[in-house]
Amino acid sequence: MENSHVTVLEIDLNAVKINLNYFKSKLYKKTKIVVVVKAFGYGSDAVEIAKFLENSVDYFAVAYLNEGVTLRKGGIKTPILVLHPQKCNLEKIIEHRLEPNIYSVNLLKRFIEISRILKLENYPIHLKFNTGLNRLGFTKNDISEISSLINNQNEIIVKSIFSHIAASEDLNERVFTLQQINIFNSISKEVINLLNYTPFKHMLNTSGVLNYATEAQFDMVRLGIGLYGFGNDEKHTKKLKSVLTLTSIISQIQTIRKGETVGYNRAYKATTTIKTATIPIGHADGISRKLGNSVGYVYINNKKAVIVGNVCMDMIMVDVTNIVCNEGDEVIIYKNQQHIEALAKASNTIPYELLTAISQRVRRVLKSC
Ligand SMILES: *Cc1c(COP(=O)(O)O)cnc(C)c1O
């Protein structure tokens, strides 16, 4: 059955395109673009984003196998890099023509084993090196083993080698970042020497493109959050277009008299008569409980309405004492990047988490120009 939820995440594809072009304007023409659409396209709609961008970019990347399968089932033909495969996923990755990030000797050995059994020929894989994030990746010490494993076969081919910066958005960490870039440069040289061919190299995410395009552009970049309008810094975000708008409607308006309470655990106690609006969105839709009790706010008829009491699973109540409004009126839960950033800050997190928390219960709609 079609999703009939009145709480809706609107995705402005045109704005995505404008943001992509903004990043392209920061890059050399020949630089390839990987669009990262993991986590449902940062909470939007991975298939729709991928379909829309398929002819403008070179690659898509997802975190997990099932996200790649969803793209393939959605008709996406572009190469797809799976950033975080597991040993047990490798057959399925091949079955769906996905390209694995191989990040350990263990995983590489298993992939080669499978590629022999399946008699693959030049199957593209990507090698990830850890240069300081200390999350996933080979180290310099693995290079000789990698090259002896890879040079003795023709089932697989290294399409790219890459690394990930730990603090690309934080210019106070510039020295560390430049060191990561140096390490990556020296690892790449060594790998390419031993392979006898030259895979693509890539290192930059959104903030990397904004801050290190000169030092570490290489052959490709991996863009995620930037396409949704976030530059991880006010001055960059200002240049980007708002893509996502989360809206709902007022279900009911209540009058709360002095001494009465609102919501679970009676967290709000009225000291004077107030008017609240109940809205069909709660923590099961992605509104963090941390935003309860006046921390978070929505917009109703262009005015701020703070959340009253605790966030419920399916609802929030907001203060509309001074707002002229009626049941059925539109409520803007996430208005634009600035609003999302303010809410993220107030709840001690980052926009990435707010976006990806918007649950699948919320209806997605594409804004047509
Ligand atoms: C998520 C991710 C990206 C995209 O990062 P943004 O900051 O959203 O641009 C790039 N590379 C890797 C390895 C990632 O996991």
Side-chain angles (χ1 to χ4, degrees), residues 36 38 42 83 128 135 164 205-206 222-225 352:
V36 183
K38 61 192 178 191
Y42 289 56
L83 293 165
K128 186 174 206 181
R135 190 171 73 173
H164 198 39
N205 64 344
T206 294
R222 305 184 302 270
L223 285 177
I225 196 94
Y352 291 80

Side-chain angles (χ1 to χ4, degrees), residues 9 23 35-44 63 67 83 133 135 164-170 203-211 222-234 236-237 240 244 246 285-288 291 334 336-360 364:
L9 181 67
F23 285 97
V35 167
V36 183
V37 288
K38 61 192 178 191
F40 302 99
Y42 289 56
S44 66
E67 298 176 318
L83 293 165
L133 180 60
R135 190 171 73 173
H164 198 39
I165 296 174
S168 60
E169 71 280 25
D170 185 354
M203 209 173 178
L204 301 181
N205 64 344
T206 294
S207 293
V209 171
L210 296 170
N211 295 325
R222 305 184 302 270
L223 285 177
I225 196 94
L227 297 178
Y228 304 97
F230 294 87
N232 298 328
D233 182 297
E234 208 185 307
H236 294 306
T237 297
L240 297 168
L244 302 171
L246 183 58
D285 301 287
I287 302 300
S288 169
L291 291 170
Y334 291 164
N336 52 28
Q337 303 106 304
Q338 287 68 31
H339 186 203
I340 292 170
E341 278 190 339
L343 294 175
K345 206 165 176 189
S347 54
N348 201 13
T349 184
I350 51 177
Y352 291 80
E353 189 175 353
L354 263 71
L355 299 187
T356 56
I358 301 169
S359 81
Q360 293 301 300
R364 269 69 175 167

Side-chain angles (χ1 to χ4, degrees), residues 64-313:
Y64 302 123
L65 163 68
N66 62 320
E67 298 176 318
V69 173
T70 301
L71 292 184
R72 286 286 181 248
K73 288 191 172 154
I76 301 302
K77 304 273 193 292
T78 302
I80 298 169
L81 166 55
V82 179
L83 293 165
H84 199 166
Q86 305 290 341
K87 257 177 154 177
C88 59
N89 302 146
L90 296 174
E91 284 96 339
K92 283 258 182 278
I93 282 185
I94 296 165
E95 183 186 324
H96 293 277
R97 293 167 296 107
L98 304 169
E99 303 181 11
N101 162 23
I102 303 293
Y103 51 84
S104 70
V105 169
N106 223 338
L107 200 58
L108 180 59
K109 283 183 175 159
R110 179 68 190 141
F111 196 78
I112 291 178
E113 209 173 282
I114 295 170
S115 70
R116 293 219 164 101
I117 297 168
L118 297 177
K119 300 191 165 46
L120 301 180
E121 215 172 295
N122 289 334
Y123 197 92
I125 67 163
H126 304 257
L127 301 180
K128 186 174 206 181
F129 287 89
N130 174 18
T131 54
L133 180 60
N134 295 326
R135 190 171 73 173
L136 282 184
F138 295 103
T139 65
K140 214 171 162 52
N141 299 333
D142 297 317
I143 296 177
S144 61
E145 191 166 6
I146 296 170
S147 74
S148 66
L149 285 166
I150 287 181
N151 284 338
N152 288 319
Q153 54 79 51
N154 61 6
E155 284 87 2
I156 62 176
I157 182 163
V158 180
K159 186 90 170 278
S160 85
I161 50 184
F162 71 110
S163 188
H164 198 39
I165 296 174
S168 60
E169 71 280 25
D170 185 354
L171 294 177
N172 293 321
E173 295 290 356
R174 190 171 166 81
V175 172
F176 182 85
T177 302
L178 294 176
Q179 187 187 317
Q180 277 196 275
I181 295 167
N182 277 338
I183 295 171
F184 182 64
N185 267 319
S186 102
I187 286 174
S188 319
K189 274 203 193 96
E190 210 176 313
V191 173
I192 290 165
N193 259 333
L194 291 165
L195 282 181
N196 295 321
Y197 57 91
T198 308
F200 295 135
K201 290 181 275 181
H202 48 112
M203 209 173 178
L204 301 181
N205 64 344
T206 294
S207 293
V209 171
L210 296 170
N211 295 325
Y212 296 95
T214 319
E215 295 87 349
Q217 189 165 150
F218 301 112
D219 305 294
M220 313 210 279
V221 297
R222 305 184 302 270
L223 285 177
I225 196 94
L227 297 178
Y228 304 97
F230 294 87
N232 298 328
D233 182 297
E234 208 185 307
K235 83 168 189 280
H236 294 306
T237 297
K238 269 205 321 234
K239 303 267 175 64
L240 297 168
K241 275 234 168 227
S242 176
V243 169
L244 302 171
T245 317
L246 183 58
T247 63
S248 191
I249 61 172
I250 298 176
S251 298
Q252 192 176 26
I253 291 175
Q254 308 251 358
T255 302
I256 314 297
R257 296 200 171 74
K258 184 177 169 179
E260 292 184 327
T261 64
V262 177
Y264 285 127
N265 312 107
R266 307 188 67 201
Y268 177 84
K269 289 195 171 61
T271 54
T272 171
T273 299
I274 67 159
K275 195 171 64 162
T276 63
T278 301
I279 302 156
I281 186 167
H283 60 73
D285 301 287
I287 302 300
S288 169
R289 280 187 90 251
K290 291 185 187 135
L291 291 170
N293 300 301
S294 299
V295 175
Y297 55 91
V298 302
Y299 289 92
I300 296 173
N301 295 330
N302 266 323
K303 289 203 161 130
K304 278 187 190 180
V306 301
I307 300 177
V308 175
N310 285 320
V311 171
C312 310
M313 186 187 287

